[in-house]
């Protein structure tokens, strides 16, 4: 199946990709980099969908979900970039550490 | 004849409604005509009813007229039903007749007051309430009138409300009488529980069947009813409101605080005689309260300098005589003294009002004097009223009514030598302070120019009342001279006859009473007919100060009731009770603050929180 590569390998790659994205979100200072981290995590999820879809021969549900997720991710990026732009206009910075006025 | 009883309270009520709603638009003459007219018509109707009743008394001894079924719950029934018998007759006569005279007097006395219509509206409402009180067929309707007169008393004491002192006096009168009214209400509940009815005829017929004589319930009911009477009639220990009530206009003092409202307590006890006869303890307490009050009030009257306060304490003292008479079982003597007292005390208050009005509103007797020649009619009528108050032998009505009380306080079934002694001492002090009042006001040198001369509308009531203060006594003469029993014969159907346990020579005791009265007047003349400096010196002593302040009852109540209340209020100023509810609020506030501190604004922490939560949930799912 898929050139004999077992499912576990795909899942491990996906987990590594997700952890990399998460690490990026938590450690990066720049909001753009955080956004890229989020994209990595979404892609890890999409990879999972595709792989599970490939192993599910009956219906191509996985692939359909993956297409949905790609569209959603694109839309999410558009919104996120718009937010970042507005934050920059408001605070003259895109570092989330310096934008912490929303607190008690 | 029995179909017109309803008009008695209805006429003053109509007058009240007219004046209350249209009073502002009417001119003074119309207002006076409505105010005087409604009460005068009621007085004429009252006389007509009285004549009919006396000439052809119904066999049952009363006439009743049902107007409306007010409320009916289970076996409890209270109707707007009027009950007219000999006792009501006497009260109706005094209320409407003396009331009408006082209304005529007020038309001139209040002539320049800006709230002329309001004054007459209140007075008419008062007469209506008082008539409901004495004509009520059941205690619930009586209570309506009872509260109505209390309300009018409050409104009229505080009539000149722009002076805050008058408002305080009005509140004091209202609150203190309310203490008595609460006792009366509880007594009525208990009475209903025991007897199953609050209708007066039922009570007097069935009380002895359902309550055993001397039982604790009978005693309790009698004492609670007495509580109501004590509050309304300003007896010990609730007497402190009446002297302050003199803040009202003089006609109000004459009508409400001398002739009628304050005697509602006498009426209540006389009406409930069936209950009191079942409670010997209650009767003794009534007599003791009366005796103590008459002595305390008489001595207080001796030292007062404000002429109206003298009369106020004198009223308390005379009401004490009536309570004494009721307590010893001399029922008719109490009612007789009530009637005579209404005549002469109303006369004295009206006279005092004229004197005060004529001297630039001067109340202090020490600054008066020499009015004998300047106000001759007022002087003559005032002296006649004073003679009745001091019970001047033979010629005054007060002698016949008060002598009967003094006599029965020794010989009637609950009488005792001690009560007699108190009554005699009280009589001596009464003569003394009456003489002091007359001498200080009318004799001596003139102090001030007159600012005002009373006209005929003020003179006529004085003369009529003076006439009644003399001849009123001749309808009831002691059996050893004259033996006229018109009055006691009239009320014998309603009130139990006076039982005498001993019968010593009445003549001797009359001589003692007369002698005591004359010596009081003589001593008063000797003491007070001199220079004012001597009198002021005489009265600067500590005893007089004690009497002037009414035996310091106000100060005592201040320490006993007001200050603990203030103390509690001060403690509770920070809402001690509310602390419990406050604790709930405080805890949730604290918790909220703790949670809010996790809201740092740092996005990284939020993400860490989400991840930690997700990991926790996943772990839990794996483990469980």
């Amino acid at each position: 199946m898929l050139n004999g590569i077992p499912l576990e390998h795909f899942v491990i790659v996906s987990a590594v990709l997700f952890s990399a994205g998460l690490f990026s979100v938590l450690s990066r200072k720049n909001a753009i980099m955080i956004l890229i981290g989020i994209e990595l995590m979404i892609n890890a999820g999409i990879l999972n969908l595709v792989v599970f879809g490939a192993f599910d021969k009956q219906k191509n549900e996985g692939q359909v979900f993956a297409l949905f997720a790609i569209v959603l991710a694109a839309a999410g990026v558009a919104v996120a970039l718009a937010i970042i732009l507005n934050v920059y206009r408001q605070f003259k910075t895109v570092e989330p550490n310096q934008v912490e006025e929303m607190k008690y | 004849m029995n179909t017109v009883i309803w008009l008695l309270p209805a006429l003053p009520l109509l007058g009240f409604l007219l004046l209350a709603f249209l009073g502002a638009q009417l001119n003074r003459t119309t207002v006076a005509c409505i105010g005087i007219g409604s009460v005068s018509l009621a007085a004429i109707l009252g006389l007509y009813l009285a004549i009919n009743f006396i000439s052809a008394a119904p066999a049952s001894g009363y006439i009743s007229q049902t107007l409306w079924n007010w409320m009916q719950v289970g076996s409890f029934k209270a109707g707007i039903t009027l009950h007219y018998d000999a006792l009501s007759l006497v009260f109706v006569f005094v209320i409407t007749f003396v009331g009408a005279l006082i209304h005529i007097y007020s038309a001139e006395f209040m002539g320049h007051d800006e709230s002329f219509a309001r004054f007459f509206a209140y007075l008419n409402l008062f007469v209506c309430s008082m008539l409901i009180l004495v004509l009520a067929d059941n205690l619930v309707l009586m209570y309506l009138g009872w509260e109505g007169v209390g309300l009018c008393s409050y409104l009229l004491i505080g009539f000149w409300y722009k002076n805050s002192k008058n408002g305080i006096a009005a509140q004091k009168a209202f609150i203190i009488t309310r203490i008595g009214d609460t006792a009366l209400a509880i007594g009525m509940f208990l009475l209903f529980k025991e007897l199953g009815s609050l209708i007066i005829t039922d009570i007097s017929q069935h009380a002895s069947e359902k309550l055993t004589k001397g039982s604790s319930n009978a005693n309790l009911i009698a004492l609670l009813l007495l509580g109501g009477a004590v509050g309304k009639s300003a007896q010990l220990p609730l007497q402190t409101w009446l002297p302050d009530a003199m803040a009202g206009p003089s006609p109000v003092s004459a009508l409400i605080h001398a002739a009628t409202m304050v005697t509602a307590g006498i009426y209540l006890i006389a009406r409930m005689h069936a209950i009191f006869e079942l409670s010997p303890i209650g009767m003794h307490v009534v007599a003791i309260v009366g005796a103590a009050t008459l002595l305390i009030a008489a001595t207080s009257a001796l030292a007062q300098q404000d002429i109206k306060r003298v009369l106020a304490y004198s009223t308390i003292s005379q009401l004490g005589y009536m309570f004494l008479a009721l307590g010893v079982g001399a029922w008719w003597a109490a009612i007789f003294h009530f009637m005579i007292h209404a005549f002469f005390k109303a006369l004295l208050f009206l006279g005092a009002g004229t004197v005060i009005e004529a001297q630039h509103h001067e109340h202090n007797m020490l600054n008066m004097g020499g009015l004998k020649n300047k106000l001759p009619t007022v002087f003559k009528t005032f002296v006649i009223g004073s003679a009745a108050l001091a019970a001047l032998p033979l010629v005054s009505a007060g002698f016949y009514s008060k002598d009967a009380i003094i006599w029965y306080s020794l010989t009637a079934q609950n009488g005792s030598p001690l009560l007699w002694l108190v009554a005699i001492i009280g009589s001596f002090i009464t003569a003394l302070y009456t003489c002091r009042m007359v001498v200080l006001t009318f004799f001596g040198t003139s102090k001030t120019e007159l600012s005002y001369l009373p006209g005929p509308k003020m003179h006529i009531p004085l003369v009529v009342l003076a006439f009644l203060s003399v001849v009123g006594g001749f309808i009831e003469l002691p059996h050893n001279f004259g033996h006229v029993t018109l009055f006691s014969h009239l009320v014998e159907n309603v009130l139990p006859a006076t039982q005498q346990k001993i019968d010593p020579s009445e003549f001797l005791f009359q001589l003692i009473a007369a002698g005591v009265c004359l010596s009081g007047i003589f001593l008063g003349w000797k003491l007070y007919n001199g220079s004012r400096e001597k009198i002021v010196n005489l009265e600067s002593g500590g005893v007089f100060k004690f009497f002037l302040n009414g035996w310091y009852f106000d100060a005592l109540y201040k320490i006993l009731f007001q200050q603990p209340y203030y103390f509690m209020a001060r403690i509770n100023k920070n809402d001690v009770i509310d602390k419990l509810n406050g604790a709930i609020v405080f805890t949730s506030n604290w918790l909220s603050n703790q949670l809010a501190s996790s809201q740092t604004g740092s996005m990284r922490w939020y993400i860490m929180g989400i991840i930690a939560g997700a990991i926790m949930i996943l772990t839990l799912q794996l483990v469980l």
Side-chain angles (χ1 to χ4, degrees):
Chain A
M1 198 29 88
L2 288 174
N3 302 330
I5 306 171
L7 179 62
E8 287 81 5
H9 291 209
F10 287 99
V11 176
I12 289 166
V13 169
S14 169
V16 169
L17 203 56
F18 186 87
S19 302
L22 184 60
F23 180 75
S24 167
V25 166
L26 289 176
S27 63
R28 288 293 171 164
K29 274 184 167 183
N30 196 311
I32 307 285
M33 299 310 282
I34 290 172
L35 190 58
I36 290 173
I38 291 170
E39 286 301 312
L40 278 182
M41 288 197 290
I42 291 175
N43 284 329
I46 294 171
L47 180 61
N48 264 0
L49 287 171
V50 172
V51 171
F52 293 149
F55 280 88
D56 178 17
K57 286 290 178 191
Q58 297 293 315
K59 306 159 194 164
N60 287 323
E61 279 181 343
Q63 270 77 2
V64 175
F65 265 112
L67 281 173
F68 263 111
I70 289 164
V71 172
L72 284 175
V77 168
V79 173
L81 280 173
I83 290 174
I84 289 170
L85 260 177
N86 275 305
V87 166
Y88 181 74
R89 273 188 202 152
Q90 190 78 26
F91 298 96
K92 299 294 170 210
T93 176
V94 287
E95 289 186 16
N97 283 356
Q98 295 181 9
V99 184
E100 47 180 14
E101 287 185 2
M102 294 274 280
K103 64 181 176 184
Y104 179 66
Chain B
M1 137 184 197
N2 54 1
T3 52
V4 293
I5 300 172
W6 67 276
L7 276 172
L8 278 173
L11 283 168
L13 183 65
L14 182 70
F16 161 70
L17 291 174
L18 277 177
L19 291 173
F21 290 111
L22 302 173
Q25 282 102 48
L26 303 172
N27 63 23
R28 278 164 190 265
T29 323
T30 325
V31 167
C33 281
I34 295 173
I36 298 169
S38 62
V39 180
S40 305
L41 282 177
I44 293 165
L45 186 69
L47 276 180
Y48 166 75
L49 282 172
I51 290 165
N52 268 343
F53 187 88
I54 292 168
S55 61
S60 58
Y62 66 91
I63 313 164
S64 74
Q65 184 182 17
T66 305
L67 301 175
W68 191 42
N69 191 6
W70 188 11
M71 50 179 115
Q72 187 162 13
V73 183
S75 65
F76 174 75
K77 196 177 168 197
I80 308 279
T81 304
L82 303 179
H83 173 99
Y84 187 85
D85 61 9
L87 185 62
S88 307
L89 182 151
V90 176
F91 273 85
V92 166
F93 170 68
V94 169
I95 294 160
T96 55
F97 197 74
V98 177
L101 289 173
I102 292 170
H103 275 70
I104 295 170
Y105 177 92
S106 310
E108 187 176 331
F109 186 86
M110 301 296 287
H112 301 291
D113 200 280
E114 51 187 299
S115 310
F116 194 62
R118 185 164 62 94
F119 183 78
F120 274 100
Y122 288 166
L123 273 192
N124 273 358
L125 181 64
F126 170 79
V127 172
C128 167
S129 307
M130 192 70 204
L131 286 171
I132 290 175
L133 198 167
V134 299
L135 284 172
D137 151 86
N138 54 70
L139 287 179
V140 183
L141 186 59
M142 198 205 77
Y143 201 76
L144 177 75
W146 185 275
E147 292 301 320
V149 291
L151 169 72
C152 293
S153 162
Y154 164 77
L155 290 172
L156 285 162
I157 294 169
F159 183 73
W160 289 316
Y161 57 86
K162 284 175 187 166
N163 183 348
S164 64
K165 270 186 185 169
N166 298 345
I168 291 168
Q171 283 174 16
K172 185 177 179 185
F174 197 71
I175 293 166
I176 292 183
T177 48
R178 212 57 47 225
I179 299 170
D181 294 356
T182 312
L184 172 62
I186 299 170
M188 274 163 54
F189 301 151
L190 204 57
L191 196 58
F192 179 73
K193 183 172 162 273
E194 294 298 319
L195 264 64
S197 171
L198 286 179
I199 296 168
I200 283 163
T201 42
D202 287 357
I203 291 172
S204 48
Q205 276 166 18
H206 303 304
S208 53
E209 300 161 18
K210 298 196 176 158
L211 284 170
T212 41
K213 186 166 182 169
S215 67
S216 60
N217 264 337
N219 287 335
L220 194 58
I221 294 172
L223 290 177
L224 285 167
L225 293 179
L226 172 66
V230 157
K232 210 54 146 186
S233 293
Q235 297 294 293
L236 206 69
L238 299 177
Q239 84 284 31
T240 54
W241 66 270
L242 190 57
D244 287 357
M246 295 301 119
S250 294
V252 171
S253 311
L255 180 61
I256 300 184
H257 305 122
T260 52
M261 187 192 82
V262 287
T263 56
I266 316 291
Y267 173 79
L268 177 72
I269 294 179
R271 199 41 112 189
M272 292 291 114
H273 63 83
I275 304 291
F276 280 88
E277 280 180 317
L278 292 174
S279 166
I281 295 175
M283 294 278 279
H284 281 299
V285 174
V286 172
I288 291 164
V289 164
T293 310
L294 84 87
L295 210 55
I296 287 175
T299 49
S300 300
L302 195 56
Q304 300 301 313
Q305 291 169 351
D306 181 336
I307 183 167
K308 281 183 76 182
R309 282 180 84 89
V310 175
L311 291 172
Y313 275 113
S314 147
T315 303
I316 300 176
S317 169
Q318 298 303 308
L319 289 167
Y321 272 106
M322 295 176 215
F323 269 70
L324 174 63
L326 293 170
V328 297
W331 302 94
W332 70 262
I335 304 301
F336 187 49
H337 193 56
F338 146 72
M339 187 176 81
I340 303 298
H341 173 255
F343 295 150
F344 70 73
K345 192 51 70 65
L347 165 64
L348 288 175
F349 265 115
L350 296 183
T354 318
V355 166
I356 292 165
E357 191 75 3
Q359 300 194 70
H360 309 276
H361 301 278
E362 175 62 65
H363 280 252
N364 194 333
M365 291 193 300
L366 293 173
N367 299 333
M368 296 181 185
L371 294 175
K372 188 170 55 145
N373 300 321
K374 289 181 175 172
L375 296 169
T377 318
V378 178
F379 169 65
K380 281 173 203 151
T381 51
F382 201 85
V383 165
I384 292 171
S386 301
L389 172 59
L392 192 69
L394 302 181
V395 291
S396 73
F399 173 71
Y400 298 104
S401 61
K402 201 192 270 180
D403 183 61
I405 293 178
I406 295 172
W407 165 246
Y408 284 129
S409 69
L410 179 67
T411 61
Q413 68 193 107
N414 291 335
S416 72
L418 189 66
L419 291 175
W420 176 81
L421 195 64
V422 170
I424 274 289
I425 294 172
S427 167
F428 176 76
I429 302 173
T430 307
L432 193 61
Y433 73 68
T434 310
C435 190
R436 172 176 178 267
M437 176 174 69
V438 173
V439 170
L440 288 183
T441 312
F442 288 98
F443 290 86
T445 49
S446 171
K447 300 275 194 300
T448 43
E449 281 302 306
L450 291 194
S451 57
Y452 172 78
L453 279 176
K457 269 190 248 165
M458 282 162 95
H459 277 146
I460 291 168
L462 291 178
V463 172
V464 175
L465 286 170
F467 175 73
L468 286 173
S469 301
V470 175
V471 300
F474 297 129
I475 60 171
E476 180 76 31
L477 296 178
H479 66 86
N480 55 354
F481 59 91
H483 194 62
V484 182
T485 57
L486 289 175
F487 191 85
S488 51
H489 182 70
L490 175 66
V491 293
E492 73 184 0
N493 254 339
V494 197
L495 297 173
T498 308
Q499 313 282 337
Q500 280 179 262
K501 58 178 179 187
I502 45 172
D503 196 9
S505 159
E506 190 170 358
F507 185 65
L508 178 69
F509 285 93
Q510 278 162 346
L511 265 188
I512 295 175
V516 161
C517 163
L518 287 174
S519 58
I521 293 172
F522 179 73
L523 182 67
W525 179 261
K526 279 278 167 212
L527 277 179
Y528 296 110
N529 192 21
S531 74
R532 288 292 149 95
E533 289 77 29
K534 246 168 53 187
I535 298 166
V536 173
N537 270 339
L538 175 75
E539 294 185 353
S540 58
V543 182
F544 274 92
K545 197 141 183 285
F546 182 67
F547 290 158
L548 178 65
N549 289 298
W551 290 48
Y552 286 113
F553 268 98
D554 276 328
L556 179 70
Y557 291 161
K558 196 168 183 183
I559 294 169
L560 279 185
F561 300 109
Q562 274 169 275
Q563 285 182 348
Y565 185 80
Y566 289 151
F567 176 68
M568 270 151 60
R570 259 201 305 280
I571 291 177
N572 204 25
K573 192 168 63 179
N574 303 323
D575 288 337
V576 177
I577 311 291
D578 267 10
K579 283 278 185 280
L580 196 67
N581 301 325
I584 297 170
V585 175
F586 179 80
T587 316
S588 26
N589 252 337
W590 183 79
L591 283 175
S592 153
N593 278 332
Q594 298 305 308
L595 279 177
S597 65
S598 69
Q599 192 178 350
T600 55
S602 161
M603 202 179 72
R604 245 174 270 284
W605 275 106
Y606 300 163
I607 297 170
M608 278 305 291
I610 293 168
I611 292 164
I615 291 172
M616 236 158 71
I617 289 169
L618 288 174
T619 323
L620 274 177
Q621 261 191 331
L622 286 177
V623 172
L624 297 177

